[in-house]
Amino acid sequence: LDGVKRNNNEIQKIKEKIIFLGDKNQEIEDLIDKDFYLDCVLDTYRRIFTHDPEKFKKVKEIVEKLKNQDSKIIKELNNKFKSNNLGDFSKVDVAITIKRKLYNDPNLANKFEKIRECIKEQTKDKIL
């Protein structure tokens, strides 16, 4: 999962120890509750663009459009950020926001149910 190239030499050396989830084009962010993830994007970029309200306005517009689309979130965010001159989209900064939210409210773990289901499904015949 998470866009790993499965023919990578390092992976080939340890492939019997790896359980692949999803397909090679899937990102783990696509399995997080979409509204929750996009709200975290807004929180993250609100802080990043504190001194540039026009850029944050563009981010807000992008997020609103994505809420109504059924597409790969990260791919779209990467494309939209570049086409709107917002720089590179940072999954890491959003992940930090998610971590903070989970620390403050552990009940938000339900936003990751699809990930747990995917792991459960992919590992049901494996001994862990």
Short mmCIF file of all heavy atoms in Angstrom, two decimals, residues 2 5 11 23 30 55 62 66 77 89 92 104 120-121:
data_model
loop_
_atom_site.label_atom_id
_atom_site.label_comp_id
_atom_site.label_asym_id
_atom_site.label_seq_id
_atom_site.Cartn_x
_atom_site.Cartn_y
_atom_site.Cartn_z
N ASP A 2 0.36 2.34 -0.35
CA ASP A 2 1.04 3.62 -0.32
C ASP A 2 1.97 3.82 -1.50
O ASP A 2 3.03 4.41 -1.38
CB ASP A 2 1.78 3.84 1.00
CG ASP A 2 1.78 5.31 1.41
OD1 ASP A 2 0.94 6.05 0.89
OD2 ASP A 2 2.62 5.70 2.21
N LYS A 5 6.55 0.75 -5.17
CA LYS A 5 6.86 0.02 -6.40
C LYS A 5 7.29 -1.38 -6.00
O LYS A 5 8.30 -1.57 -5.35
CB LYS A 5 7.95 0.75 -7.18
CG LYS A 5 7.49 2.07 -7.74
CD LYS A 5 8.57 2.70 -8.58
CE LYS A 5 8.04 3.88 -9.30
NZ LYS A 5 8.20 5.13 -8.70
N ILE A 11 12.79 -4.46 -1.95
CA ILE A 11 11.57 -5.20 -1.62
C ILE A 11 11.70 -6.65 -2.08
O ILE A 11 11.29 -7.57 -1.37
CB ILE A 11 10.33 -4.52 -2.23
CG1 ILE A 11 10.06 -3.22 -1.48
CG2 ILE A 11 9.12 -5.44 -2.18
CD1 ILE A 11 8.94 -2.39 -2.04
N ASP A 23 -3.54 -2.08 -3.95
CA ASP A 23 -2.75 -2.22 -5.17
C ASP A 23 -1.64 -1.18 -5.17
O ASP A 23 -1.62 -0.27 -4.35
CB ASP A 23 -3.64 -2.12 -6.42
CG ASP A 23 -4.29 -0.76 -6.57
OD1 ASP A 23 -3.56 0.26 -6.56
OD2 ASP A 23 -5.51 -0.70 -6.72
N ASP A 30 -6.12 7.35 0.97
CA ASP A 30 -7.40 7.07 0.34
C ASP A 30 -8.28 6.18 1.22
O ASP A 30 -9.47 6.04 0.97
CB ASP A 30 -7.20 6.39 -1.02
CG ASP A 30 -6.54 7.32 -2.03
OD1 ASP A 30 -6.85 8.53 -2.01
OD2 ASP A 30 -5.72 6.84 -2.83
N LYS A 55 -3.47 32.41 -0.67
CA LYS A 55 -3.08 31.02 -0.91
C LYS A 55 -3.99 30.08 -0.13
O LYS A 55 -4.40 29.03 -0.64
CB LYS A 55 -1.62 30.78 -0.55
CG LYS A 55 -0.66 31.31 -1.58
CD LYS A 55 0.75 30.88 -1.30
CE LYS A 55 1.66 31.35 -2.43
NZ LYS A 55 3.04 30.93 -2.24
N ILE A 62 -9.87 24.17 -3.31
CA ILE A 62 -9.45 22.84 -3.76
C ILE A 62 -10.10 21.77 -2.90
O ILE A 62 -10.66 20.79 -3.40
CB ILE A 62 -7.90 22.72 -3.72
CG1 ILE A 62 -7.27 23.60 -4.80
CG2 ILE A 62 -7.46 21.26 -3.86
CD1 ILE A 62 -5.77 23.79 -4.65
N LEU A 66 -12.76 18.74 -3.85
CA LEU A 66 -12.41 17.34 -3.64
C LEU A 66 -13.42 16.60 -2.76
O LEU A 66 -13.58 15.39 -2.90
CB LEU A 66 -11.01 17.22 -3.01
CG LEU A 66 -9.85 17.45 -3.96
CD1 LEU A 66 -8.53 17.41 -3.20
CD2 LEU A 66 -9.85 16.42 -5.06
N LEU A 77 -4.59 16.34 -4.87
CA LEU A 77 -3.98 17.43 -4.10
C LEU A 77 -2.64 17.83 -4.70
O LEU A 77 -2.35 19.02 -4.84
CB LEU A 77 -3.83 17.04 -2.63
CG LEU A 77 -5.12 17.02 -1.83
CD1 LEU A 77 -4.92 16.32 -0.49
CD2 LEU A 77 -5.66 18.42 -1.62
N PHE A 89 2.38 19.66 -2.29
CA PHE A 89 1.51 19.24 -1.21
C PHE A 89 2.31 18.36 -0.26
O PHE A 89 3.07 17.50 -0.68
CB PHE A 89 0.31 18.46 -1.76
CG PHE A 89 -0.53 17.86 -0.68
CD1 PHE A 89 -1.31 18.67 0.13
CD2 PHE A 89 -0.50 16.50 -0.43
CE1 PHE A 89 -2.06 18.12 1.16
CE2 PHE A 89 -1.26 15.95 0.57
CZ PHE A 89 -2.04 16.76 1.38
N VAL A 92 3.34 14.78 4.82
CA VAL A 92 3.98 14.72 6.13
C VAL A 92 3.37 15.77 7.07
O VAL A 92 3.04 15.46 8.21
CB VAL A 92 5.51 14.90 6.02
CG1 VAL A 92 6.15 15.01 7.39
CG2 VAL A 92 6.11 13.75 5.23
N ASN A 104 -5.16 14.35 20.94
CA ASN A 104 -6.16 15.12 21.68
C ASN A 104 -7.51 14.42 21.78
O ASN A 104 -8.26 14.66 22.71
CB ASN A 104 -6.34 16.51 21.07
CG ASN A 104 -5.12 17.37 21.27
OD1 ASN A 104 -4.46 17.29 22.29
ND2 ASN A 104 -4.81 18.19 20.28
N LYS A 120 -7.05 -6.39 8.04
CA LYS A 120 -7.72 -7.62 8.46
C LYS A 120 -7.98 -8.54 7.27
O LYS A 120 -7.70 -9.74 7.33
CB LYS A 120 -9.04 -7.27 9.16
CG LYS A 120 -9.73 -8.41 9.82
CD LYS A 120 -10.96 -7.90 10.56
CE LYS A 120 -11.73 -9.03 11.19
NZ LYS A 120 -12.93 -8.53 11.87
N GLU A 121 -8.48 -7.98 6.19
CA GLU A 121 -8.78 -8.77 4.99
C GLU A 121 -7.51 -9.35 4.37
O GLU A 121 -7.48 -10.52 3.99
CB GLU A 121 -9.52 -7.91 3.97
CG GLU A 121 -9.84 -8.60 2.67
CD GLU A 121 -10.79 -9.78 2.81
OE1 GLU A 121 -11.63 -9.77 3.74
OE2 GLU A 121 -10.69 -10.72 2.00
#
